[in-house]
């Protein structure tokens, strides 16, 4: 069963909000097959873009990877690249395709004056979790059922927890991590990798604890959830596998660590060697044609700042 939702030009309104489309489709099925079936079909409905060139999607973010790279990667996996949607990048001043942030100062209320922001027609959405959800749903990367969607979102939250644990040790605006501190974060800490978590070790949960726990949750077929590509795969790749060449950024050589997963690709790869399921997911995403193309073109016009 399929249906199609049309999106007009970014300055126009979406023909029908996603939630109303889902409800209408699920309700119709419900009248025909019962309320339970209607609810199920409402989730299985996935929007498709009538014309990718007029998807009505605009991504607004700083000139870097950060919180907008997962949506860009999901769109790439769906065969959509800048030009099929608006990929607007901002910094303090205009340079090349980078716009001054002052150009959208009056368009940032959806995220309380911050970015990232997703615009669909004249509707703006803030917060990366909501943006990830919308793009995943629109590109068919949110699973085939409510249950699979919940599993995918669960993995997203686990990775968010890991990111917080890392930033508690290595603050975003702090000094470069030392080799000793990184080695400690990657190799030491809590060792209860299965079963009931030891609450007394909460403060000791570091990289190995999160990665080993996640290894026990994901699928065994090269996909995290449901035996097919999903946002969870993209999140895992972006978190543990993706890097960016230093010459594609404006970073100085001393900031090389910022281009690698958690400050060290070598340490990350070493740990992933103990986690074949996660490694298979990362390899599969990395070999995706859309991802390959995106990595080739993303800094073609302007180098990323982070």
């Amino acid at each position: 069963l399929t249906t199609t939702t049309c999106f007009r030009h970014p300055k126009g309104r979406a023909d029908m909000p996603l939630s109303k489309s889902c409800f209408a489709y699920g309700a119709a099925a419900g009248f025909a097959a019962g309320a339970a079936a209607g609810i199920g079909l409402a989730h299985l409905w996935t929007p498709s873009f009538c014309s990718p060139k007029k998807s009505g999607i605009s991504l607004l973010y700083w000139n870097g990877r950060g919180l907008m790279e997962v949506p860009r990667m999901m769109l790439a996996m769906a065969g959509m690249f800048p030009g099929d949607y608006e990929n607007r990048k901002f910094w303090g001043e205009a340079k090349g395709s980078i716009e001054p942030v002052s150009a959208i100062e009056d368009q940032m209320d959806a995220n309380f004056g911050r970015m990232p922001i997703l615009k669909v027609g004249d509707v703006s959405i803030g917060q990366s979790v909501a943006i990830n959800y919308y793009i995943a749903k629109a590109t068919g990367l949110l699973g085939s059922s409510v249950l699979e969607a919940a599993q995918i979102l669960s993995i997203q939250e686990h990775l968010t927890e890991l990111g917080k644990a890392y930033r508690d040790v290595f603050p975003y605006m702090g000094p470069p991590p030392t080799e000793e501190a990184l080695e400690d974060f990657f190799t030491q800490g809590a060792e209860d990798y299965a079963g009931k978590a030891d609450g007394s070790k909460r403060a000791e949960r570091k990289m190995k604890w999160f990665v080993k726990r996640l290894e026990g949750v994901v699928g065994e077929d090269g996909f995290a959830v449901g035996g097919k590509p999903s946002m969870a795969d993209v999140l895992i790749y972006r978190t543990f596998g993706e890097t960016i060449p230093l010459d594609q950024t404006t970073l100085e050589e001393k900031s090389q660590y910022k281009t690698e997963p958690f400050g060290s690709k070598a340490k990350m790869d070493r740990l992933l060697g103990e986690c074949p399921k996660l490694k298979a997911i990362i390899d599969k995403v990395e070999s995706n044609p859309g991802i390959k193309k995106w990595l080739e073109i993303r800094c073609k016009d302007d180098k990323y700042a982070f």
Side-chain angles (χ1 to χ4, degrees):
L1 293 171
T2 59
T3 188
T4 301
T5 294
C6 296
F7 294 95
R8 293 176 181 164
H9 187 272
K11 293 184 179 180
R13 291 191 60 88
D15 286 14
M16 181 180 290
L18 181 61
S19 59
K20 291 183 179 180
S21 299
C22 292
F23 177 79
Y25 191 83
F31 283 118
I39 293 172
L41 287 171
H43 177 79
L44 290 174
W45 180 88
T46 299
S48 60
F49 303 107
C50 291
S51 173
K53 295 290 185 183
K54 297 182 179 179
S55 66
I57 288 180
S58 295
L59 306 181
L60 284 63
Y61 193 53
W62 300 104
N63 177 39
R65 297 174 296 163
L67 298 175
M68 197 59 92
E69 200 66 4
V70 166
R72 293 167 181 151
M73 287 181 171
M74 288 193 285
L75 288 166
M77 287 183 71
M80 295 180 67
F81 303 92
D84 301 326
Y85 64 91
E86 285 192 324
N87 183 38
R88 300 178 66 187
K89 298 174 291 183
F90 300 88
W91 208 246
E93 298 179 354
K95 182 180 179 181
S97 65
I98 303 168
E99 303 175 60
V101 69
S102 58
I104 56 164
E105 285 181 346
D106 61 346
Q107 302 175 43
M108 303 170 72
D109 289 347
N111 204 5
F112 294 3
R114 305 164 298 177
M115 291 187 278
I117 295 171
L118 163 70
K119 296 186 72 173
V120 182
D122 62 356
V123 177
S124 295
I125 300 169
Q127 294 290 351
S128 58
V129 170
I131 294 169
N132 286 354
Y133 173 88
Y134 182 91
I135 298 298
K137 185 66 179 176
T139 54
L141 293 173
L142 199 63
S144 299
S145 67
V146 175
L147 183 60
E148 287 184 3
Q151 290 176 292
I152 292 165
L153 295 175
S154 174
I155 289 172
Q156 178 173 243
E157 290 305 295
H158 291 319
L159 295 174
T160 298
E161 277 192 273
L162 168 58
K164 183 179 184 303
Y166 177 76
R167 286 303 175 199
D168 284 346
V169 180
F170 307 105
Y172 186 74
M173 299 300 290
T178 64
E179 175 68 20
E180 293 75 17
L182 279 174
E183 186 67 15
D184 178 84
F185 188 76
F186 271 89
T187 63
Q188 302 303 308
E191 298 180 351
D192 51 322
Y193 304 138
K196 182 181 180 298
D198 184 350
S200 69
K201 303 290 186 181
R202 182 189 303 270
E204 300 176 36
R205 294 169 186 168
K206 301 180 183 181
M207 179 65 75
K208 199 167 186 177
W209 187 85
F210 282 98
V211 171
K212 292 279 191 176
R213 284 278 181 172
L214 187 58
E215 174 75 3
V217 169
V218 298
E220 299 181 355
D221 52 4
F223 300 105
V225 176
K228 66 177 186 178
S230 74
M231 178 175 72
D233 302 330
V234 180
L235 286 162
I236 288 168
Y237 170 69
R238 170 74 177 103
T239 302
F240 300 123
E242 184 252 356
T243 62
I244 185 169
L246 188 64
D247 63 5
Q248 291 184 17
T249 76
T250 59
L251 295 170
E252 298 178 359
E253 188 172 350
K254 65 181 181 180
S255 297
Q256 170 78 39
Y257 71 95
K258 294 182 179 180
T259 69
E260 303 179 11
F262 297 95
S264 177
K265 175 173 169 50
K267 295 183 191 303
M268 192 74 256
D269 287 348
R270 182 182 66 194
L271 180 53
L272 289 172
E274 303 175 22
C275 303
K277 293 191 290 182
L278 288 175
K279 184 64 166 59
I281 291 167
I282 292 166
D283 290 346
K284 195 175 287 289
V285 174
E286 192 168 51
S287 66
N288 179 274
I291 294 295
K292 284 185 173 182
K293 180 177 178 178
W294 172 243
L295 296 181
E296 290 174 0
I297 69 171
R298 63 182 176 179
C299 295
K300 183 178 180 180
D301 297 324
D302 299 289
K303 294 182 177 182
Y304 273 166
F306 58 91

